[in-house]
Amino acid sequence: MKVAKVVVDVAVSAIDSLFDYEIPKQLQQVVKPGVRVIIPFGPRKVMGFVIEVTDFSHFDKLKKIDSVMDYEPVLTRELLDLSKWLQQETLCFRVSALQAMLPAVFKAKYEKEVWLITEEDQLPFEWQMFTQGREVFPFEELESAGIKAKEISKFVEEQLIEIKYVVKGKNKVKTDTYVERMVEEVKLIEQLDELGKQAKKQRNVIEYLLDHDKPLRLKELMQHVDVTRAPIKSLEKKGLIKLVQKEIYRDPHQANHELTKPLPLTSEQQNVINPVIDQINQIKHEMFLLHGVTGSGKTEVYLQSIDRVLQDDKEAIVLVPEIALTPQMVTRFKSRFGDDVAVLHSGLSTGEKYDEWRKIHRKEVKVVVGARSAIFAPFENIGIIIIDEEHETTYKQEDYPKYHAREVAKYRGKYHQCPVILGSATPTLESYARAQKGVYQLLELTERVNEQALPDMKIIDMRKELEKGNRTMFSDALVEKINDRIKRKEQVVLMLNRRGYSTFVMCRECGETVQCQHCDISMTYHRTNHKLKCHYCNEEQAMPNQCPECESEAIRFFGTGTQKVEEALKEHFEQARIIRMDVDTTSRKGAHERLLKKFGNQEADILLGTQMIAKGLDFENVTLVGVIAADAILHLPDFRASEKSFQLLTQVSGRAGRHELPGEVIVQTYTPEHYTVKLAAQYDFEGFFKREMQVRKRFLYPPYYFLVLINISHENHVKAVEVSQKIANLLSEQLGETVQLMGPSPSPMLRIKDRFRYQLMIKYKSRTDVDKPLENVLNTFQKEINREDLQLTVDFEPYYFM
Ligand SMILES: Nc1ncnc2c1ncn2[C@@H]1O[C@H](COP(=O)(O)OP(=O)(O)OP(=O)(O)O)[C@@H](O)[C@H]1O
Ligand SMILES: [Zn+2]
Ligand SMILES: [Zn+2]
């Protein structure tokens, strides 16, 4: 008996293990690891992933697999194993891990279509009776014609047919008409002679065909030869050519990219790439941290490392943060590697994503450039993995499975014995500390390729502006410089750190904010009881009426939205053309790209935006970057607030003066004496690292300790508090001495979508100290999670504390 071990799509932890199912005879050739099946489960039919196929089972009465969903595996052996590791690492359901690796089309309701990828007469007679000249037909027809699954899968394997998934009414596989030659070249030349003078158009078509021996798009042919369909049809009747429907991939980035050649590397770049190439040659896994200032040519190093990998006929994965995945970025890869590149990001439609994924699955491309989930690209022969802007928090997934792409990259790098490069101008403290300890190999680029100095960064003290009587959001210096750029027809990038939302109070006269004594994070204002609270340790204090430092009464909430700034800009600079980029103006598909293109074409003087404009932009005419209020991030209730501010200031300043024209940066702040602002202005990453590490050590934060965050939420406030307290009690009984438990405390955003939210935080040194207690908690509350709408999430290496 053949038995399939299956992960069932039922998210209840108690049953989150493999189930044995008998494979009926007619499905035995089809059911393989990585294929999805439909199986009976209790009274229902559910979906499951086949993980293994064996010859026996410890159970004697097995239910049978009902049917298959896939006729070839959608996941590789490596990815199936990786899902197990993800489950253990992030404490998620195995099925969530498996699903996270597939494009969304597989989660939607879809139909299947059968595509012939060979001549019809290659198929057995019964099939021909049935296909009757069709190249595409609904899968259902195969089933109702009684064609066996075994046969279908055999033909898929032999590449006679292909099964494609089509979301109902949504993403029809796109087709176009192609012209194919049916006869040898000599035959065509013979025809040329035979055709009379009158058939000039037909002759032109044949001549064109002789020059182009690939299948041509009908449209293209008609355009180039300047003919109607008629002469082409005549040639088809003569049996010389054939018109066929072929699939075209939806490729939003399709454009004829002129191919670029590798640039001669600078000596710094050469020093950096050598050890990487060494590892590639030796087929060894190593984690590299590439620390290179903005504009130092990191991307060129990536491109040439990938080039080396492609020579070995291996594949490359490049992760880029979603918002940096601009057309500019894509073009750099496509114009180096042409059609070998697939692009995956959330801006694509479900259909487009599926098309890109299929190119990878069918090994039609060798390089994938994508956002976080591209780390699961189903390549089987990976030669390098690159994570650009490794400090970006978007590499951590906030939904289950709560994985970090860096850790998955490490897993796959080890599996394929290939190097992994983490690149950034501002690495995370975690990564830099690992590089210092030699866990990662550190590679450094200290100079810009164009030998321009990094732009001069000036800090403006907004308290002084207030003293002078300037109550606007723009300092005199910023106003003057913007006017100056508008006059010189150069461009300005203005950044506001956040859209509207703020939780902290600050004194506008002295810049003081209230910090928790135990946690070194800003206290959060709670409207309900007018108190300040630390949401890590739950310490509470009354909201002061005057500044504890300078006794000023100008102590209040902090924060302005982009829209307000835009209005103020219009008042100040009447003649300026402004583009605003934030979540509101970029939510529509393609809006992000369109706005950037407009700015690139110099159709605006000022680009105003949230941090989404800090990354990856490369416009030669930008000579001034302004940061409206550096404080908005500096005082987030998050232990990484300083680190994030440092990164952001460095990144955004990197947008100025990238080419011929020198750049300049203006940073407005109420706390100019803060070490983060000062060191960022000097581009002193090393100095910042040392200083910030002291803070992390003193308050037991990463990289000295690991964190795990437990979020509890319920519609009933009392219930949320009760459960949080119970969990805290349970944990404190089970956690050892070396582990610190903090909370429960209300989340900074106490209520979201009518749910009350609480959190607990654990600081630990070793996973073995926390795994068992956390599993116990999850098991204890599983019933309440299922029945009473309690939400309980466990988040290792958390980045989001709101
Ligand atoms: N060896 C080289 N010779 C000439 N030009 C180069 C070389 N390497 C890179 N460049 C050019 O220098 C500019 C900056 O390089 P690149 O964008 O790769 O830097 P980066 O470190 O990735 O920048 P950032 O981190 O700011 O995005 C680009 O225009 C690139 O084409
Ligand atoms: Zn004050
Ligand atoms: Zn605290």
Side-chain angles (χ1 to χ4, degrees):
M1 184 175 59
K2 285 276 182 204
V3 176
K5 297 195 173 289
V6 178
V7 170
V8 182
D9 182 14
V10 178
V12 182
S13 75
I15 56 163
D16 200 32
S17 52
L18 298 182
F19 281 75
D20 288 2
Y21 282 89
E22 184 184 337
I23 309 174
K25 261 231 149 48
Q26 73 276 14
L27 292 182
Q28 284 184 359
Q29 282 194 16
V30 196
V31 175
K32 295 173 199 157
V35 161
R36 292 168 311 149
V37 290
I38 301 289
I39 43 191
F41 191 83
R44 299 185 284 160
K45 295 254 158 78
V46 298
M47 189 272 284
F49 286 88
V50 176
I51 304 293
E52 266 172 71
V53 174
T54 60
D55 290 321
F56 70 96
S57 170
H58 294 296
F59 306 94
D60 29 85
K61 269 216 176 131
L62 292 187
K63 288 189 184 160
K64 283 188 184 153
I65 290 178
D66 212 68
S67 58
V68 291
M69 295 175 77
D70 308 307
Y71 286 81
E72 56 185 332
V74 290
L75 290 171
T76 61
R77 180 78 258 162
E78 181 206 355
L79 293 176
L80 292 172
D81 293 344
L82 174 58
S83 73
K84 176 88 195 157
W85 177 84
L86 270 176
Q87 177 191 17
Q88 291 162 346
E89 207 60 17
T90 67
L91 297 186
C92 70
F93 297 125
R94 180 119 182 234
V95 71
S96 322
L98 289 161
Q99 244 140 9
M101 299 176 182
L102 291 174
V105 66
F106 290 103
K107 276 165 246 163
K109 280 229 171 305
Y110 55 77
E111 290 162 358
K112 287 187 285 225
E113 284 178 354
V114 182
W115 285 65
L116 298 198
I117 43 182
T118 171
E119 292 306 319
E120 200 175 5
D121 53 23
Q122 305 273 318
L123 293 169
F125 187 62
E126 313 89 75
W127 277 68
Q128 292 178 35
M129 293 285 292
F130 156 78
T131 54
Q132 292 184 15
R134 288 180 303 173
E135 278 156 35
V136 187
F137 55 89
F139 183 84
E140 282 171 7
E141 292 185 19
L142 270 190
E143 284 176 319
S144 32
I147 306 241
K148 294 218 170 65
K150 187 163 78 183
E151 195 164 311
I152 301 173
S153 94
K154 189 170 139 242
F155 289 169
V156 169
E157 215 160 83
E158 290 170 3
Q159 304 207 347
L160 301 178
I161 59 169
E162 194 188 345
I163 315 278
K164 292 178 187 172
Y165 303 87
V166 191
V167 172
K168 270 192 188 150
K170 244 185 172 174
N171 73 321
K172 283 260 173 283
V173 170
K174 267 201 184 166
T175 63
D176 202 357
T177 312
Y178 278 72
V179 180
E180 261 177 27
R181 261 161 54 173
M182 299 301 289
V183 294
E184 303 278 294
E185 207 165 287
V186 270
K187 200 85 202 274
L188 283 179
I189 296 172
E190 266 171 34
Q191 274 297 315
L192 265 188
D193 298 334
E194 279 172 31
L195 285 168
K197 282 240 163 68
Q198 294 86 332
K200 183 150 179 276
K201 298 256 155 166
Q202 286 184 45
R203 291 179 39 180
N204 289 349
V205 171
I206 294 181
E207 271 163 8
Y208 192 83
L209 287 174
L210 282 169
D211 286 342
H212 299 81
D213 63 350
K214 273 197 190 144
L216 289 166
R217 281 166 90 152
L218 177 61
K219 274 191 218 122
E220 221 172 289
L221 179 68
M222 285 163 59
Q223 222 172 31
H224 281 285
V225 192
D226 192 22
V227 293
T228 59
R229 271 178 109 94
I232 298 173
K233 277 280 173 201
S234 312
L235 292 174
E236 190 182 21
K237 271 202 202 110
K238 290 182 184 136
L240 299 173
I241 57 170
K242 190 177 161 199
L243 296 183
V244 291
Q245 290 297 312
K246 282 199 174 185
E247 178 185 4
I248 46 170
Y249 287 123
R250 284 155 284 223
D251 183 351
H253 300 290
Q254 208 171 38
N256 280 328
H257 297 287
E258 208 152 301
L259 285 189
T260 56
K261 290 227 172 63
L263 300 166
L265 296 179
T266 63
S267 64
E268 261 199 335
Q269 283 173 320
Q270 194 61 54
N271 287 340
V272 154
I273 205 170
N274 284 341
V276 177
I277 304 278
D278 275 352
Q279 299 298 311
I280 295 171
N281 288 339
Q282 296 174 38
I283 314 181
K284 265 199 184 154
H285 166 64
E286 170 106 59
M287 297 289 292
F288 290 100
L289 177 62
L290 173 54
H291 175 213
V293 299
T294 55
S296 59
K298 294 186 286 294
T299 311
E300 186 63 30
V301 171
Y302 304 151
L303 290 170
Q304 297 199 19
S305 310
I306 294 168
D307 209 19
R308 175 67 193 76
V309 161
L310 297 189
Q311 285 166 28
D312 288 349
D313 216 15
K314 290 188 179 178
E315 298 133 355
I317 297 178
V318 185
L319 298 192
V320 177
E322 191 71 59
I323 50 174
L325 205 49
T326 56
Q328 272 186 341
M329 192 58 153
V330 171
T331 302
R332 288 185 76 177
F333 283 86
K334 287 220 165 181
S335 53
R336 190 65 60 87
F337 304 118
D339 291 339
D340 266 344
V341 183
V343 179
L344 281 174
H345 64 91
S346 68
L348 303 179
S349 70
T350 309
E352 287 164 347
K353 268 187 223 156
Y354 173 51
D355 285 356
E356 294 296 297
W357 180 85
R358 214 163 64 240
K359 287 187 206 165
I360 303 166
H361 190 234
R362 303 182 66 186
K363 313 281 167 351
E364 291 173 2
V365 292
K366 298 226 152 259
V367 181
V368 55
V369 181
R372 179 182 61 231
S373 64
I375 195 63
F376 297 119
F379 282 139
E380 290 179 277
N381 198 9
I382 299 172
I384 195 164
I385 301 174
I386 292 160
I387 302 187
D388 191 27
E389 313 279 6
E390 73 96 23
H391 61 275
E392 273 296 316
T393 52
T394 55
Y395 288 129
K396 170 72 188 299
Q397 169 146 306
E398 293 300 339
D399 299 332
Y400 277 120
K402 295 172 180 284
Y403 68 90
H404 198 298
R406 186 212 313 124
E407 299 306 309
V408 179
K410 212 180 283 180
Y411 179 101
R412 299 198 76 182
K414 245 186 234 157
Y415 183 94
H416 291 275
Q417 287 297 301
C418 73
V420 175
I421 306 181
L422 311 174
S424 176
T426 50
T428 56
L429 263 66
E430 285 92 332
S431 293
Y432 201 72
R434 279 173 204 150
Q436 300 274 309
K437 276 171 52 181
V439 180
Y440 299 166
Q441 188 174 336
L442 184 63
L443 308 170
E444 295 198 274
L445 292 173
T446 57
E447 278 163 19
R448 282 189 152 184
V449 177
N450 66 358
E451 289 177 350
Q452 289 262 18
L454 288 160
D456 186 37
M457 215 190 287
K458 264 202 197 64
I459 301 172
I460 305 292
D461 187 343
M462 290 306 276
R463 298 169 306 191
K464 296 226 172 90
E465 297 291 316
L466 200 65
E467 258 169 50
K468 283 195 294 192
N470 175 4
R471 297 193 160 265
T472 70
M473 345 179 168
F474 312 116
S475 60
D476 292 346
L478 186 60
V479 171
E480 187 196 312
K481 290 192 191 293
I482 292 177
N483 274 327
D484 175 56
R485 301 306 134 121
I486 294 175
K487 224 179 282 157
R488 295 206 316 238
K489 301 217 174 335
E490 292 170 7
Q491 289 171 293
V492 182
V493 168
L494 285 185
M495 193 185 62
L496 193 72
N497 311 54
R498 225 152 240 279
R499 194 182 64 139
Y501 184 75
S502 97
T503 55
F504 70 100
V505 291
M506 187 175 75
C507 171
R508 295 249 292 177
E509 268 177 40
C510 77
E512 175 77 6
T513 55
V514 184
Q515 304 274 314
C516 171
Q517 300 303 311
H518 314 291
C519 305
D520 195 49
I521 61 165
S522 298
M523 306 273 280
T524 307
Y525 176 70
H526 283 253
R527 207 178 297 270
T528 40
N529 55 2
H530 197 55
K531 278 189 172 154
L532 292 173
K533 210 164 203 169
C534 167
H535 72 102
Y536 282 6
C537 75
N538 210 24
E539 174 100 350
E540 193 175 82
Q541 72 179 67
M543 165 80 188
N545 290 324
Q546 46 173 230
C547 172
E549 194 63 29
C550 74
E551 301 187 348
S552 153
E553 281 171 17
I555 184 162
R556 60 177 70 112
F557 261 134
F558 192 83
T560 12
T562 38
Q563 220 161 334
K564 258 190 169 162
V565 178
E566 187 186 17
E567 282 159 24
L569 274 175
K570 281 184 181 152
E571 270 172 37
H572 263 87
F573 310 97
E574 278 169 18
Q575 74 285 37
R577 296 162 303 163
I578 302 162
I579 292 178
R580 183 179 114 221
M581 258 177 82
D582 58 21
V583 195
D584 297 328
T585 63
T586 57
S587 56
R588 291 220 355 246
K589 201 182 159 212
H592 189 238
E593 301 183 355
R594 210 167 37 247
L595 292 176
L596 286 181
K597 198 164 168 205
K598 247 176 109 179
F599 189 64
N601 290 340
Q602 307 196 15
E603 290 169 42
D605 307 294
I606 302 175
L607 177 65
L608 167 71
T610 51
Q611 49 265 63
M612 70 170 66
I613 62 171
K615 316 273 149 54
L617 304 188
D618 192 354
F619 296 116
E620 49 188 331
N621 202 35
V622 173
T623 57
L624 176 66
V625 167
V627 178
I628 307 280
D631 310 87
I633 278 219
L634 204 48
H635 301 305
L636 279 179
D638 180 340
F639 75 93
R640 287 195 181 87
S642 290
E643 185 181 5
K644 283 184 181 164
S645 304
F646 187 90
Q647 289 164 354
L648 201 62
L649 290 175
T650 310
Q651 291 293 335
V652 74
S653 67
R655 298 313 111 211
R658 292 176 67 86
H659 298 264
E660 313 284 86
L661 301 166
E664 204 175 0
V665 184
I666 296 281
V667 177
Q668 303 188 154
T669 172
Y670 290 89
T671 41
E673 64 283 346
H674 198 290
Y675 64 93
T676 305
V677 180
K678 273 192 181 153
L679 294 167
Q682 293 157 16
Y683 296 100
D684 185 359
F685 177 79
E686 192 80 22
F688 173 75
F689 174 76
K690 289 207 181 102
R691 181 76 175 70
E692 183 65 12
M693 283 294 271
Q694 290 170 10
V695 178
R696 301 290 179 89
K697 191 170 183 182
R698 183 145 40 101
F699 293 96
L700 317 184
Y701 287 124
Y704 291 97
Y705 276 76
F706 295 106
L707 297 184
V708 54
L709 187 72
I710 303 164
N711 282 296
I712 301 118
S713 83
H714 200 277
E715 284 185 358
N716 181 327
H717 199 163
V718 178
K719 177 87 184 170
V721 175
E722 263 175 28
V723 172
S724 307
Q725 197 52 57
K726 268 194 216 159
I727 293 177
N729 295 344
L730 225 139
L731 283 172
S732 59
E733 279 167 25
Q734 298 185 13
L735 290 171
E737 298 279 290
T738 52
V739 177
Q740 272 219 341
L741 175 67
M742 314 182 67
S745 50
S747 300
M749 293 199 258
L750 176 63
R751 198 169 167 187
I752 295 182
K753 288 190 189 151
D754 284 327
R755 302 183 69 89
F756 291 88
R757 306 161 70 244
Y758 282 77
Q759 60 188 31
L760 284 150
M761 194 160 78
I762 305 174
K763 297 175 176 173
Y764 66 94
K765 282 271 192 195
S766 152
R767 266 299 281 266
T768 50
D769 293 338
V770 293
D771 270 344
K772 263 263 138 351
L774 284 173
E775 260 173 56
N776 286 341
V777 166
L778 285 174
N779 287 334
T780 310
F781 288 92
Q782 196 62 51
K783 255 200 214 123
E784 284 176 66
I785 291 172
N786 294 340
R787 293 197 200 135
E788 294 176 35
D789 199 27
L790 170 72
Q791 274 177 20
L792 178 59
T793 62
V794 176
D795 187 3
F796 289 94
E797 207 186 337
Y799 283 86
Y800 186 74
F801 295 92
M802 306 304 271

